[in-house]
Amino acid sequence: MELREAPTPRRAGPHDVLLQVDTLGVCGSDIHYYRQGRIGPQVAPFPLILGHELAATVLEVGTEAKSLHSGQRVAVDPLVSCGECDQCRAGRKHTCRHQKFLGNPGQLPGALVEYLVMPAACCSPVPDSLNDDQAAVVEPLSIGVYAAQMAQLTPGARVGVVGSGPIGLCTLLAVRALTQAPVYVTDLVDERLAVARACGATWTGNPRREDVVAAIQRLEPLGLDAVFECAGEQDALDQGLNLLKPGGALLVIGIPEVDRVSFNINLLRRNELRILNVRRQNECVERAVELIASGRVDVRPLVTHHFRLEETARAFELVSARTDGVVKAIIRISPER
Ligand SMILES: [Zn+2]
Ligand SMILES: [Zn+2]
């Protein structure tokens, strides 16, 4: 990880805006590229500029980008879709056939830069009541909102979150804001469980110290309606399936380091369990902004560490090592206003 001069951003087209990046959150997927140089078949050619969880200020607007104005603070949806393929036409721009995602190899350079051009359609204004840390957490929160919506939880539902890193915590926050469901949360790191309790977890447990499946089953003998797997680990997938009641749903959000995982087919078949895969999010950025602005979601417990741009390598080392109680590390890029 090193600091280099980057090319001047291309000129903003009529539907684009030129952004000054204010803050950037380090994401678990950035760490996959940092540690392994790939996520599945997506292999990083170096040098690669990472980063996609950003808060920014609009510097210039294209002639057709009338919804935004210079000086406006925005949260950014890092996915640029084509608007024309079958997926876009079906309202599934997150699985667009020609999608370009910030900081993804072969797609777009990432947002760990001072200046960035994005389509205005990717930018959602944030009110001044949100600070730059909160605005940078909008993107991961939008994934939690999308996942919580996909679970279609009904009144009386009981929920599990296996793995309480930033995405697990954002899912917990979204479920707690959108439903009355009690949420049972597990993680291997005790500090993350403390953050989960601050974010509204009903119960927390560490599988290094106890049989979390048995402990949750004692409290919820009928099983859970939905479990969000946010660890990307085989053990977590197994725990998730074992926690579900018949007809329950496992929502897979975590990104495993391996290409193949396995499921107990007898458990799946006998209990008619459903497996739903969550691919980032779709149209949930504005909802995430509203949830923070209205006070229904408090993302502040997630932001544990701050770094300057010159300290980016340290930020990545810390998030990669998961030490010092790190949950979300935020890198300050523009001078603080
Ligand atoms: Zn991310
Ligand atoms: Zn498309």
Side-chain angles (χ1 to χ4, degrees), residues 34-107:
Y34 178 68
R35 283 164 61 107
Q36 297 156 282
R38 64 189 276 258
I39 295 181
Q42 280 187 303
V43 179
F46 293 103
L48 172 71
I49 301 175
L50 289 169
H52 57 269
E53 297 181 2
L54 65 149
T57 302
V58 176
L59 291 184
E60 278 172 33
V61 294
T63 49
E64 302 295 316
K66 296 200 172 72
S67 59
L68 296 170
H69 60 80
S70 166
Q72 196 158 36
R73 295 171 59 244
V74 293
V76 176
D77 180 344
L79 184 130
V80 179
S81 54
C82 78
E84 287 168 11
C85 71
D86 63 324
Q87 296 297 299
C88 285
R89 285 175 195 275
R92 297 182 51 89
K93 65 176 180 138
H94 62 309
T95 52
C96 169
R97 308 249 181 201
H98 312 291
Q99 62 179 269
K100 293 194 167 78
F101 195 87
L102 288 180
N104 254 36
Q107 298 180 14

Side-chain angles (χ1 to χ4, degrees), residues 16-327:
D16 296 332
V17 290
L18 173 65
L19 299 173
Q20 177 166 35
V21 181
D22 292 319
T23 48
L24 183 120
V26 179
C27 175
S29 67
D30 297 326
I31 298 299
H32 278 274
Y33 288 122
Y34 178 68
R35 283 164 61 107
Q36 297 156 282
R38 64 189 276 258
I39 295 181
Q42 280 187 303
V43 179
F46 293 103
L48 172 71
I49 301 175
L50 289 169
H52 57 269
E53 297 181 2
L54 65 149
T57 302
V58 176
L59 291 184
E60 278 172 33
V61 294
T63 49
E64 302 295 316
K66 296 200 172 72
S67 59
L68 296 170
H69 60 80
S70 166
Q72 196 158 36
R73 295 171 59 244
V74 293
V76 176
D77 180 344
L79 184 130
V80 179
S81 54
C82 78
E84 287 168 11
C85 71
D86 63 324
Q87 296 297 299
C88 285
R89 285 175 195 275
R92 297 182 51 89
K93 65 176 180 138
H94 62 309
T95 52
C96 169
R97 308 249 181 201
H98 312 291
Q99 62 179 269
K100 293 194 167 78
F101 195 87
L102 288 180
N104 254 36
Q107 298 180 14
L108 291 173
L112 256 172
V113 287
E114 293 172 287
Y115 303 101
L116 187 68
V117 170
M118 281 299 279
C122 292
C123 300
S124 299
V126 298
D128 284 337
S129 59
L130 265 66
N131 65 30
D132 289 337
D133 286 357
Q134 293 168 307
V137 181
V138 164
E139 196 271 344
L141 180 62
S142 73
I143 294 169
V145 172
Y146 178 67
Q149 288 178 0
M150 191 189 277
Q152 297 188 314
L153 299 169
T154 49
R158 345 232 13 112
V159 169
V161 173
V162 181
S164 65
I167 291 293
L169 292 165
C170 283
T171 303
L172 162 67
L173 286 168
V175 169
R176 294 290 292 168
L178 301 174
T179 75
Q180 309 288 318
V183 186
Y184 298 82
V185 181
T186 70
D187 201 274
L188 298 170
V189 180
D190 284 328
E191 288 107 323
R192 294 190 165 188
L193 295 174
V195 178
R197 289 190 291 276
C199 292
T202 311
W203 176 96
T204 60
N206 185 335
R208 283 201 210 282
R209 272 202 313 275
E210 65 179 312
D211 180 339
V212 289
V213 173
I216 296 170
Q217 281 169 341
R218 274 195 295 278
L219 297 164
E220 295 288 351
L222 296 180
L224 304 179
D225 297 82
V227 173
F228 298 87
E229 195 281 331
C230 303
E233 299 285 346
Q234 182 66 54
D235 286 351
L237 293 165
D238 291 338
Q239 288 159 10
L241 283 191
N242 281 301
L243 286 167
L244 289 170
K245 65 168 62 164
L250 180 71
L251 291 95
V252 180
I253 313 177
I255 304 175
E257 292 195 354
V258 295
D259 289 332
R260 284 173 183 268
V261 296
S262 66
F263 296 102
N264 180 332
I265 189 63
N266 293 314
L267 197 60
L268 282 178
R269 190 177 56 76
R270 290 208 179 101
N271 288 341
E272 210 173 61
L273 301 177
R274 292 168 296 140
I275 298 178
L276 304 174
N277 287 283
V278 178
R279 176 65 167 148
R280 302 190 188 118
Q281 60 88 29
N282 189 17
E283 305 286 2
C284 289
V285 170
E286 277 168 26
R287 191 83 201 272
V289 171
E290 283 163 21
L291 286 171
I292 301 173
S294 66
R296 289 171 68 199
V297 162
D298 183 0
V299 294
R300 286 173 300 185
L302 268 69
V303 179
T304 52
H305 291 73
H306 291 88
F307 293 89
R308 289 176 289 116
L309 182 60
E310 305 76 51
E311 299 171 320
T312 298
R314 272 181 52 211
F316 272 68
E317 270 307 302
L318 177 74
V319 177
S320 177
R322 296 185 193 173
T323 48
D324 198 32
V326 65
V327 178

